[in-house]
């Protein structure tokens, strides 16, 4: 349940629909699903098995089970978590702001231009988006310092089914809007002419982001699992739940985009301009809207806590900081790194590099870093930990009929698949590293 709490968040409801929109819809959806099944599920199991086997945080786990330079994979994960959290708090801050905007009744329009301007006005104000991100960072740090993650998990166990129910209601509202059919076609009918190398990078990045995979977050959660837990089943249920919610979010946003005349390629602001139109077109929309953005904030909080926790456990284990000090240091630095992201979506182009806003660069960077972490994890578990990993994945249970197939997937198919998708970026990285040396 905790792993599902980490997985379900802004990645499902904010990122998935806009990335699907940018990448042409249906074909992207299929490639995304293939990434989840073929690369995601075996890797979720690998992270959980390593975490449970080593009972340590990522760097220590790779040191204990593989040695050599492998702890660097753990370090890479901590860096990645840090980058993700820097923009995650920004978008969670928007969610928080939209609770208030919706409640105050200032978003009751279905006009794309008016809603675009409302978002633009909010983001150009600088202080408000920064303040909201800071507030969310403080809440996340509070949970991590207070060690009240258990409390949060208990609350979210109650609230997440509610979010799910609300999603279903909203999907029904949206697919019955006049003009929704065009959006359904876009979402469900693959248009292969839209597929390029970038589509694959976006799909694998989105898959790993949504599953919290490739940076040691699931490894950390694995370290809390007992030997009886059936890892194949846990892995499948985390992947299934997370993917189900993302697909529903697509049904909620993309048909609405077409019904109201938004641009599916609006990027990170897509959910924030489209959803108010959905709420405005339903009875008691203000109440639905406020509850929805509130629940989304809670879902974002459980994910942000898991991101910060990875960084904090590392600082505690390896740098001997106290929990309190580790959390404060990590939160402050992370917020500072998040500032350019927070200011990059407005009218000013100070934080726009080569025509791409800073926040979008950070997303692109994680689309590369998470699969890279996943590829290295697969190689390490497949070849270095090897058959011991099967024993760890098995725990106290005997049944694990596909164990050998799983191991060979980690050895060959998973790293090869990720390598094939990342090859251009890896080449660019190699050239850059050589130039640096
Ligand atoms: N999976 C989260 C989401 O979909 O919002 C984001 C995330 C959380 C990514 C934790 C990575 C992570 F370690």
């Amino acid at each position: 349940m905790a792993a599902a709490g980490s997985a379900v968040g802004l990645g499902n409801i904010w990122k998935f629909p806009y990335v699907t929109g940018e990448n042409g819809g249906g074909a992207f959806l299929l490639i995304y699903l293939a990434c989840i099944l073929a690369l995601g599920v075996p890797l979720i199991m690998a992270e959980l098995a390593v975490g449970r086997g080593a009972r340590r945080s990522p760097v220590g786990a790779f040191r204990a089970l593989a040695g050599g330079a492998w702890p660097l994979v753990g370090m890479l994960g901590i860096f990645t978590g840090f980058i993700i959290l820097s923009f995650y708090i920004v978008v969670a801050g928007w969610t928080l702001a939209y609770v208030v905007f919706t409640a105050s009744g200032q978003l009751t329009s279905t006009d794309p231009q008016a809603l675009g301007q409302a978002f633009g006005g909010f983001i150009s104000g600088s202080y408000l988006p920064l303040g909201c991100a800071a507030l969310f960072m403080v809440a996340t740090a509070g949970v991590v310092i207070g060690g009240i993650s258990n409390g949060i998990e208990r609350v979210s166990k109650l609230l997440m089914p509610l979010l799910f129910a609300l999603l279903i209601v909203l999907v029904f509202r949206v697919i019955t809007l006049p003009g929704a059919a065009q959006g359904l076609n876009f979402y469900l009918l693959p248009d292969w002419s839209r597929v390029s190398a970038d589509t694959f990078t976006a799909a694998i990045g989105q898959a790993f982001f949504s599953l919290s995979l490739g940076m040691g977050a699931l490894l950390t959660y694995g370290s809390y699992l007992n030997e009886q837990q059936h890892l194949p089943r846990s892995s499948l249920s985390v992947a299934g739940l997370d993917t189900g919610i993302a697909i529903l979010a697509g049904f909620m946003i993309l048909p609405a985009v077409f019904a109201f005349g938004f641009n599916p390629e609006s990027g990170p602001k897509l959910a924030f301009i489209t959803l108010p139109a959905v709420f405005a077109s339903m009875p008691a929309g203000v109440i639905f809207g406020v509850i929805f953005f509130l629940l989304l904030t809670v879902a974002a909080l459980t994910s942000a806590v898991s991101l910060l926790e990875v960084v904090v456990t590392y600082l505690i284990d390896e740098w001997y900081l106290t929990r309190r000090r580790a959390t404060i240091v990590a939160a402050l630095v992370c917020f500072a790194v998040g500032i350019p992201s927070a200011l990059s979506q407005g009218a000013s182009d100070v934080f726009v590099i080569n025509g791409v806003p800073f926040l979008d660069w950070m997303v692109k960077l994680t689309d590369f870093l998470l699969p890279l972490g996943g590829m290295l994890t697969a190689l390490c578990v497949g070849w270095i930990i090897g058959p011991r990993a099967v024993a760890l994945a098995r725990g106290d249970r005997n049944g694990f009929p596909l164990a050998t197939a799983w191991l060979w997937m980690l050895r060959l198919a998973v790293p090869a698949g990720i390598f094939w998708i990342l090859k251009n970026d890896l080449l660019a990285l190699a050239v850059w590293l050589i130039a640096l040396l």
Side-chain angles (χ1 to χ4, degrees):
M1 281 311 288
S6 163
V8 175
L10 296 170
N12 307 63
I13 287 162
W14 157 73
K15 189 167 179 261
F16 175 75
Y18 95 72
V19 178
T20 308
E22 278 179 342
N23 285 283
F28 174 86
L29 179 62
L30 287 182
I31 299 173
Y32 172 74
L33 292 176
C35 288
I36 297 268
L37 269 179
L39 309 173
V41 173
L43 266 174
I44 298 179
M45 237 175 80
E47 278 204 27
L48 292 179
V50 168
R52 183 171 71 177
R55 298 238 170 267
R56 255 165 260 214
S57 59
V59 177
F62 282 108
R63 191 181 293 133
L65 292 178
W70 292 106
L72 287 176
V73 179
M75 303 277 283
L76 176 73
I78 286 145
F79 175 72
T80 309
F82 197 79
I83 297 284
I84 297 180
L85 191 57
S86 79
F87 69 78
Y88 209 82
I89 55 166
V90 170
V91 181
W94 301 350
T95 317
L96 207 53
Y98 266 62
V99 174
V100 181
F101 295 164
T102 309
S104 71
Q106 48 181 298
L107 292 174
T108 44
S109 162
T110 56
D111 175 28
Q113 212 170 351
L115 290 170
Q117 276 167 1
F119 183 84
F122 158 59
I123 212 75
S124 305
S126 308
Y127 290 115
L128 196 53
L130 276 179
C132 291
L135 198 62
F136 187 82
M137 185 81 258
V138 169
T140 310
V143 173
V144 171
I145 291 183
I148 50 170
S149 314
N150 283 338
I152 279 284
E153 287 311 332
R154 230 169 299 139
V155 173
S156 74
K157 237 181 251 179
L158 219 95
L159 295 185
M160 288 311 101
L162 209 60
L163 178 66
F164 185 75
L166 195 51
L167 266 177
I168 306 257
V169 173
L170 294 174
V171 167
F172 266 105
R173 164 70 283 213
V174 168
I175 59 177
T176 50
L177 284 169
Q182 202 191 341
L184 289 173
N185 286 342
F186 174 83
Y187 189 31
L188 298 178
L189 296 182
D191 172 2
W192 296 105
S193 70
R194 297 284 309 259
V195 173
S196 67
D198 289 345
T199 322
F200 281 87
T201 319
I204 195 176
Q206 174 59 26
F208 280 53
F209 184 84
S210 196
L211 296 172
S212 304
L213 193 57
M215 51 155 284
L218 293 179
L219 191 154
T220 308
Y221 281 145
S223 67
Y224 304 124
L225 288 178
N226 65 38
E227 299 294 324
Q228 260 77 49
Q229 200 82 32
H230 193 283
L231 293 193
R233 204 173 295 146
S234 311
S235 310
L236 275 174
S237 39
V238 171
L241 199 70
D242 185 70
T243 308
I245 295 205
I247 290 178
L248 272 181
F251 275 112
M252 168 179 70
I253 300 221
L254 292 167
V257 164
F258 286 85
F260 295 116
F262 290 95
N263 177 2
E265 298 185 33
S266 301
K269 61 175 184 281
L270 186 69
F272 292 90
I273 54 178
T274 310
L275 282 172
V278 174
F279 300 129
S281 69
M282 61 199 286
V286 169
I287 297 174
F288 278 111
V290 170
I291 298 177
F292 180 82
F293 283 120
L294 262 179
L295 291 176
L296 186 54
T297 310
V298 176
L301 189 61
T302 55
S303 302
V305 164
S306 75
L307 283 161
L308 186 56
E309 188 69 42
V310 171
V311 182
V312 166
T313 352
Y314 164 73
L315 291 175
I316 296 174
D317 285 358
E318 306 283 324
W319 293 86
Y320 305 110
L321 295 190
T322 60
R323 172 162 279 267
R324 190 186 178 81
R325 186 161 297 170
T327 310
I328 293 175
V329 170
L332 281 177
V333 181
C334 202
F335 178 73
V337 178
I339 293 175
S341 286
L343 302 181
S344 68
Q345 300 288 312
S348 126
D349 53 8
V350 185
F351 294 110
V352 176
I353 306 162
N354 287 344
V356 178
F358 193 82
L359 188 146
D360 303 53
W361 277 116
M362 292 290 110
V363 172
K364 271 186 202 300
L365 186 58
T366 48
D367 281 348
F368 170 69
L369 290 175
L370 288 173
L372 177 66
M375 181 174 84
L376 297 172
T377 305
L379 289 172
C380 179
V381 176
W383 294 104
I384 310 295
I385 303 177
R388 278 182 299 153
V390 174
L392 296 180
R394 217 175 245 144
D396 282 349
R397 291 170 161 268
N398 290 323
F400 182 8
L402 293 174
T404 317
W406 172 66
L407 193 61
W408 280 99
M409 280 195 82
L410 292 177
R411 285 180 170 167
L412 299 176
V414 173
I418 300 178
F419 182 82
W420 179 74
I421 294 176
L422 295 188
K423 59 188 181 307
N424 293 337
D425 296 314
L426 284 169
L427 191 69
L429 179 70
V431 169
W432 181 77
L433 280 177
I434 291 168
L436 205 69
L437 291 174

